[in-house]
Amino acid sequence: MKFSLVAETLKIMESTTKRLELTQYLVDLFKKTPPEIISSVVYLLQGKLRPDHEGVELGVAEKIAIRAISKSAGIPAKKIEHAYHEGGDLGQAAAKILEQKTQTTFMTEDITVERVYDTLYKIAELKGSRSQDMKLKYISSLLNDASPIEAGFILKIITNSLRLGIADYTIMDSLAIAFTGSKENRSILEQAYNVSSDLGKVAAAVAKDGIDAIKNFQVSVFSPIRPMLAERVKSPQEAHEKMGAEFAAEYKLDGERVQIHMREEKIILYSRSLENITSYYPDVVEKITKSLNAREAILEAEAVAINDDTGEFLAFQELMHRRRKYNIAKAVSQYPITINFFDVMFVDGKSCLDLSYKERRNILEKIVKEDEFAKLMPMTLVKSDNEVEDVLENAINAGCEGLMLKQLDASYRAGARGSNWLKLKREYRNELGDSLDLVVIGAFFGRGRRTGRYGALLLGTYDDETDTYPSICKVGTGFTDENLDQFYQILSDKITLKKDPRINSGLEADVWFEPEVVIEIVASEITLSPIHKTAMDMIRKGSGLALRFPKFTGKIRFEKTPENATMDEEIISLYNGQKRAVQEEKQNYI
Ligand code: AMP
């Protein structure tokens, strides 16, 4: 097929933004395209050579493109650069320049879509030191035989500046009209696209074998599935209205969504936007098959950075340290993670997409063997607003962003945002105005860099009514190396064989101390807690209060006795103040 057909379509498409017109131009083009090359045409229209997840990148620098035009047109590169910077579009500049040139020369042969696509593919595959020269050679040879309009579009494609403004949906509408005669069939194409994430493949199937071929599109390992997305709700009440009587409340961890595809020992990880991100997670590749009871599977999980010493979840930014080209092994050991599975889409030859959430979760629980590295996303079945609130408090305490609420009988709707999944986030993050002085009551041994010292300390407030030290948080951040040494020294004198009867905590520390040392802490928020005992039962029966994101300020309050530490009443009044602030914030918002 002549490439001029594609180039002419692209040219008229540039003259409109109306979706109906764009659709019609594409229908006309698709009807003229032989089925064997329709996938190439679809990729070229999207400005790519293969679906994103295959990672085939053209990667031609503008400089090389300019040199190629210069070579074909016999015009100095400086002149082309000038024309380019004047108009801001290299493709157009090239078309203009070549236009002048073709008036004096003859084109040797028609170029075909096949030739353009194959040459661009060869360019994308070039690597190594001589690749720039080879790229230049390939591009100039195409430009030599291309008409000015064709050359313009080739250049736009290779420099990634083809901006037609056609969404995947428009291409699917056009395919449906061209090959099935009805736009209504778009939804069937969409389903095939959602499970394959490959529009070229969908186009080829419908062009060759019609709509029935599309209906049989199957989920398959190593073809990423477009992820299901959630709607946002503001309150448990709103969630209840949307979800009905009973639903699942999962922790919403603040990490990176990973779609894990595995067959025997082979593992590929895709990001939420379906890029191949396997290279950032060598630890997953190494460890995950041991944790999965399946020969082949497609699963979804949240990869979350953790504090190696305390096991606490860390924020998303920590994970992003892994996003580098070199020294990934070092980043992997510095920023350890856990993999928290929350869905399964395929297992041992069978798609799970049409199963209900409940059924998928059952399968997930059967195939994931939990260990230090691989976990199941914590999930609770909830029926009332109060239950949602409780799970939310626990989630926040554990360092989560909030909750994901999931309809029990809903299937996995690939590529769709809907009310079968809702996200409930804790929007307010009131920084506590004051620092707190807390008593060191216990400690946990360090691991990794902190081996041989304490990795985290257990802290308490002072309750003068009962003369006890209820725990309020475990803190592992804010310590310098010197601080860690100093604490190890100071505290080793305070170790007690048995927990002091005045200490009250739901956590089991590795060592317990005489409550004597007071340190200064800042935190972002006070939350209800089932584990910590400060102000137990005072705000809610069965709950104490805890600090979220506590951090050591660097100050050991040698001048304070433990009885001078922050008292439970102060924490209660900070908690109430925080709630009032949130209510005011909400009112302002409404
Ligand atoms: P958002 O990015 O705010 O739209 O929230 C959706 C994201 O939350 C997903 O893409 C996941 O990365 C993440 N997430 C965390 N925990 C869960 C969970 N339990 N279920 C689904 N997604 C989760």
Side-chain angles (χ1 to χ4, degrees):
M1 178 180 164
K2 286 186 191 169
F3 185 65
S4 59
L5 276 175
V6 175
E8 276 153 23
T9 308
L10 293 175
K11 178 110 186 111
I12 30 172
M13 286 177 76
E14 276 190 338
S15 64
T16 182
T17 51
K18 295 202 183 91
R19 189 162 161 194
L20 273 182
E21 287 176 16
L22 290 169
T23 309
Q24 192 51 49
Y25 294 138
L26 289 177
V27 171
D28 295 342
L29 175 66
F30 291 154
K31 282 188 171 165
K32 289 181 208 147
T33 307
E36 307 79 64
I37 58 163
I38 195 146
S39 59
S40 308
V41 170
V42 166
Y43 298 133
L44 289 174
L45 287 170
Q46 296 178 298
K48 39 181 120 157
L49 296 174
R50 297 289 306 156
D52 289 340
H53 60 264
E54 292 189 14
V56 178
E57 304 248 352
L58 264 167
V60 174
E62 277 175 1
K63 263 210 175 114
I64 302 268
I66 290 173
R67 275 173 58 200
I69 306 167
S70 157
K71 205 168 157 199
S72 303
I75 292 175
K78 277 270 168 259
K79 251 190 166 170
I80 296 160
E81 250 173 63
H82 190 257
Y84 165 36
H85 289 302
E86 245 178 19
D89 184 322
L90 187 59
Q92 259 164 26
K96 244 195 216 158
I97 287 166
L98 292 167
E99 184 100 46
Q100 290 156 9
K101 186 205 156 197
T102 40
Q103 284 164 4
T104 56
T105 52
F106 299 103
M107 275 190 291
T108 45
E109 57 179 301
D110 275 340
I111 55 169
T112 58
V113 173
E114 292 87 331
R115 178 170 163 207
V116 173
Y117 183 88
D118 290 347
T119 312
L120 298 187
Y121 206 93
K122 275 188 208 143
I123 293 175
E125 285 194 316
L126 285 172
K127 291 201 177 63
S129 56
R130 287 199 50 237
S131 67
Q132 303 298 345
D133 289 343
M134 291 299 287
K135 281 183 189 175
L136 185 66
K137 213 176 114 199
Y138 282 135
I139 301 167
S140 335
S141 89
L142 267 188
L143 297 186
N144 280 342
D145 294 332
S147 73
I149 298 181
E150 289 168 344
F153 284 111
I154 291 171
L155 286 161
K156 282 188 190 196
I157 294 171
I158 62 179
T159 55
N160 235 334
S161 54
L162 182 70
R163 292 198 183 83
L164 289 175
I166 40 169
D168 295 344
Y169 296 118
T170 312
I171 298 182
M172 284 190 267
D173 276 349
S174 308
L175 290 169
I177 298 169
F179 300 114
T180 76
S182 160
K183 201 167 125 178
E184 301 299 302
N185 287 324
R186 208 273 306 275
S187 60
I188 301 174
L189 297 188
E190 205 177 320
Q191 276 208 320
Y193 179 42
N194 286 337
V195 298
S196 65
S197 309
D198 186 340
L199 210 46
K201 190 170 160 191
V202 174
V206 72
K208 270 185 213 146
D209 302 316
I211 202 72
D212 286 336
I214 293 293
K215 285 186 187 147
N216 296 330
F217 247 66
Q218 302 290 342
V219 176
S220 64
V221 182
F222 307 124
S223 294
I225 296 168
R226 304 210 325 128
M228 179 162 175
L229 304 170
E231 269 177 14
R232 175 189 294 263
V233 284
K234 292 215 178 63
S235 62
Q237 294 82 339
E238 197 185 336
H240 251 112
E241 281 158 24
K242 295 203 159 155
M243 291 239 152
E246 192 187 21
F247 48 91
E250 289 181 2
Y251 280 12
K252 182 174 193 307
L253 296 176
D254 185 15
E256 175 165 35
R257 185 174 191 159
V258 286
Q259 198 177 107
I260 300 177
H261 288 234
M262 79 103 152
R263 176 175 294 138
E264 272 138 25
E265 295 300 306
K266 183 174 173 193
I267 306 275
I268 296 186
L269 268 57
Y270 298 101
S271 69
R272 177 179 169 152
S273 53
L274 307 183
E275 273 170 67
N276 185 331
I277 47 167
T278 317
S279 64
Y280 302 122
Y281 293 99
D283 42 352
V284 177
V285 175
E286 187 196 318
K287 296 181 197 168
I288 212 70
T289 40
K290 289 185 216 78
S291 318
L292 295 174
N293 232 336
R295 194 180 57 77
E296 52 172 6
I298 305 176
L299 303 133
E300 266 190 325
E302 192 80 354
V304 187
I306 51 155
N307 178 332
D308 215 4
D309 293 319
T310 61
E312 285 166 298
F313 297 124
L314 300 176
F316 172 72
Q317 289 82 328
E318 297 290 325
L319 200 60
M320 288 302 104
H321 292 294
R322 287 180 169 219
R323 279 279 190 281
R324 46 164 99 163
K325 271 211 171 116
Y326 307 104
N327 245 338
I328 294 210
K330 192 168 165 211
V332 164
S333 71
Q334 268 178 332
Y335 302 97
I337 56 167
T338 55
I339 290 289
N340 302 269
F341 287 97
F342 61 80
D343 221 317
V344 52
M345 290 99 121
F346 184 85
V347 69
D348 291 339
K350 285 199 201 84
S351 166
C352 305
L353 294 186
D354 292 331
L355 301 181
S356 68
Y357 168 83
K358 234 178 172 168
E359 290 166 314
R360 298 198 311 278
R361 175 81 194 191
N362 275 338
I363 295 176
L364 198 62
E365 287 177 9
K366 281 200 192 105
I367 59 178
V368 175
K369 292 179 275 179
E370 287 195 280
D371 54 31
E372 287 273 289
F373 185 68
K375 314 264 175 207
L376 281 164
M377 187 66 84
M379 187 276 282
T380 317
L381 290 175
V382 284
K383 283 194 174 132
S384 68
D385 294 349
N386 255 351
E387 283 173 357
V388 179
E389 291 276 9
D390 284 346
V391 190
L392 181 63
E393 291 294 346
N394 290 344
I396 301 283
N397 276 332
C400 298
E401 283 186 297
L403 298 178
M404 293 291 284
L405 307 173
K406 300 184 177 177
Q407 185 90 53
L408 296 180
D409 50 19
S411 58
Y412 189 98
R413 303 253 339 265
R417 188 182 297 282
S419 55
N420 288 330
W421 280 14
L422 302 175
K423 52 187 170 190
L424 176 62
K425 286 198 206 175
R426 171 63 69 84
E427 293 297 347
Y428 40 92
R429 262 203 205 156
N430 247 359
E431 295 288 325
L432 293 186
D434 261 338
S435 61
L436 308 172
D437 297 320
L438 302 174
V439 189
V440 184
I441 52 179
F444 301 84
F445 290 123
R447 285 191 279 157
R449 266 189 318 116
R450 296 186 177 177
T451 306
R453 296 175 295 183
Y454 300 128
L457 305 178
L458 185 64
L459 305 178
T461 45
Y462 180 57
D463 180 357
D464 61 343
E465 262 182 43
T466 52
D467 186 28
T468 56
Y469 295 95
S471 76
I472 186 167
C473 71
K474 183 173 167 184
V475 62
T477 41
F479 300 106
T480 61
D481 275 349
E482 290 82 61
N483 291 151
L484 292 173
D485 289 341
Q486 197 183 10
F487 277 120
Y488 199 68
Q489 244 180 3
I490 299 175
L491 291 169
S492 53
D493 282 350
K494 319 283 180 208
I495 295 177
T496 54
L497 283 180
K498 272 169 64 187
K499 180 160 83 173
D500 186 303
R502 291 172 301 163
I503 292 175
N504 183 7
S505 177
L507 278 181
E508 257 322 299
D510 291 335
V511 279
W512 296 104
F513 303 120
E514 201 70 56
E516 275 180 21
V517 179
V518 179
I519 66 174
E520 192 181 75
I521 292 291
V522 286
S524 66
E525 201 180 356
I526 299 172
T527 57
L528 288 165
S529 162
I531 300 165
H532 292 292
K533 306 288 184 187
T534 294
M536 191 68 198
D537 298 332
M538 303 296 282
I539 302 285
R540 185 183 299 168
K541 193 118 196 73
S543 289
L545 290 177
L547 299 183
R548 183 157 190 241
F549 297 133
K551 187 174 167 201
F552 176 51
T553 62
K555 286 191 201 143
I556 303 181
R557 308 300 303 253
F558 290 109
E559 76 284 13
K560 290 209 164 180
T561 65
E563 292 84 8
N564 296 144
T566 303
M567 307 242 188
D568 285 26
E569 300 97 84
E570 293 173 67
I571 301 287
I572 293 172
S573 87
L574 278 171
Y575 178 79
N576 287 333
Q578 178 184 287
K579 258 182 38 185
R580 263 197 307 281
V582 168
Q583 265 150 15
E584 275 163 26
E585 222 173 79
K586 270 193 188 155
Q587 249 148 24
N588 287 341
Y589 184 73
I590 294 160

